[in-house]
Amino acid sequence: MTFRTERFAPHELSIDAFLGGALQIAQPVKGYRAGVDPVLLAASVCARAGQRVLELGCGGGVASLCLGARVAGLVQQGIEVQPAYAALAQQNARTNGIALEVTCGDLTDLSEPLRSRQFDHIIANPPYFDRSRSIAAADLGRETGLGETTPLSAWIVVAAKRLAPKGHAHFVQRVDRLPEILSTLRARLGSIEVQPLSARAGRAPHLVLVRAKKDGRADFILHAPIVVHRGAAHGENAKDYNLLIEAVLRQGAALPFGGTA
């Protein structure tokens, strides 16, 4: 696959507010644009100051920067296969004054410096769609963010290898990919927890947050779904988030597994 190598020009970018305006993130007008999913992923990470965090497939850096805005003093790194997006993530980190070292490369072929390091937390928002059963996006940048080329299992294997003892891996993914995630996780990590996210009360979950621990021995936990929106259907305000989700998206609050909204 051929990736865009040149950086985005200013006119190709929009500046979008995240965490209620605490972060100003440049994103391509045409291409992969982060929504709420990486924000929710970052909010679910139980990190502490001084810990080391690696984001696999960091895109423009939204998840890492949201995590860095909530938890000061982290040592954060990201790897991104698309050169233009890797440069954009580094630019966004500088703009927002958050330390993030971004490497351009393939997560299945990490550079020697990354292969020699271990991390307390690894986070990832892998592409959602198996393209053997779906249609590719026209924009290459968007397609790389959404369409799977590296198998989902490979993301999990890499995360498990790079975790320090007792470290945690964190993923956000579509609920239909959960069986695949669990089948790979069970052989490599333990203390697996799944937090489903439902768009509305009474609806089946559409996303899951998954957390697992290296050397973990606790029983598997499937938490009750967190309901993202109030009401049975979209009203005039289509972003009618429940209070817990509103606090995450607007105030940079944490999203505990098992939380209620």
Side-chain angles (χ1 to χ4, degrees):
M1 183 177 291
T2 301
F3 299 116
R4 172 182 175 140
T5 56
E6 71 274 14
R7 297 186 180 217
F8 291 102
H11 72 272
E12 296 178 293
L13 299 171
S14 65
I15 306 300
D16 303 308
F18 284 80
L19 306 186
L23 294 176
Q24 299 294 316
I25 304 290
Q27 300 197 92
V29 175
K30 296 181 179 179
Y32 175 76
R33 295 174 59 82
V36 301
D37 300 359
V39 184
L40 298 177
L41 171 66
S44 74
V45 178
C46 47
R48 304 188 307 273
Q51 290 189 319
R52 300 152 297 174
V53 182
L54 172 65
E55 182 178 3
L56 303 178
C58 68
V62 170
S64 290
L65 297 178
C66 286
L67 178 57
R70 179 171 62 86
V71 184
L74 295 174
V75 180
Q76 293 200 97
Q77 291 186 257
I79 182 166
E80 169 54 44
V81 71
Q82 301 186 81
Y85 285 82
L88 187 60
Q90 199 70 78
Q91 173 189 322
N92 283 328
R94 288 193 298 268
T95 298
N96 289 281
I98 295 175
L100 173 64
E101 178 186 340
V102 182
T103 300
C104 183
D106 189 327
L107 64 90
T108 63
D109 185 22
L110 296 178
S111 63
E112 176 57 34
L114 281 177
R115 289 201 306 271
S116 66
R117 296 172 192 167
Q118 292 185 312
F119 298 86
D120 301 294
H121 298 276
I122 294 182
I123 66 176
N125 180 184
Y128 285 165
F129 300 104
D130 178 350
R131 287 309 189 205
S132 66
R133 296 181 291 173
S134 56
I135 299 173
D139 179 87
L140 180 58
R142 179 174 172 78
E143 172 57 21
T144 304
L146 295 177
E148 181 177 281
T149 53
T150 298
L152 181 54
S153 60
W155 293 69
I156 296 169
V157 169
V158 171
K161 286 181 178 179
R162 299 275 54 83
L163 277 177
K166 307 299 183 182
H168 288 88
H170 311 258
F171 302 94
V172 62
Q173 185 55 254
R174 284 166 51 98
V175 73
D176 61 295
R177 307 298 300 274
L178 183 58
E180 188 178 349
I181 293 173
L182 294 178
S183 67
T184 308
L185 273 180
R186 286 194 183 104
R188 292 164 177 83
L189 301 172
S191 301
I192 300 170
E193 295 183 67
V194 175
Q195 176 59 70
L197 300 170
S198 297
R200 304 266 173 193
R203 294 190 188 180
H206 61 297
L207 290 178
V208 286
L209 295 164
V210 181
R211 178 164 65 212
K213 184 177 182 180
K214 192 155 190 175
D215 306 316
R217 297 183 181 276
D219 291 339
F220 172 79
I221 300 176
L222 175 62
H223 292 280
I226 292 175
V227 178
V228 174
H229 295 278
R230 298 189 298 269
H234 283 306
E236 292 183 4
N237 180 7
K239 296 181 179 179
D240 53 348
Y241 296 112
N242 276 313
L243 294 180
L244 177 62
I245 302 300
E246 183 78 18
V248 168
L249 299 180
R250 306 297 178 230
Q251 301 163 29
L255 180 63
F257 276 36
T260 57

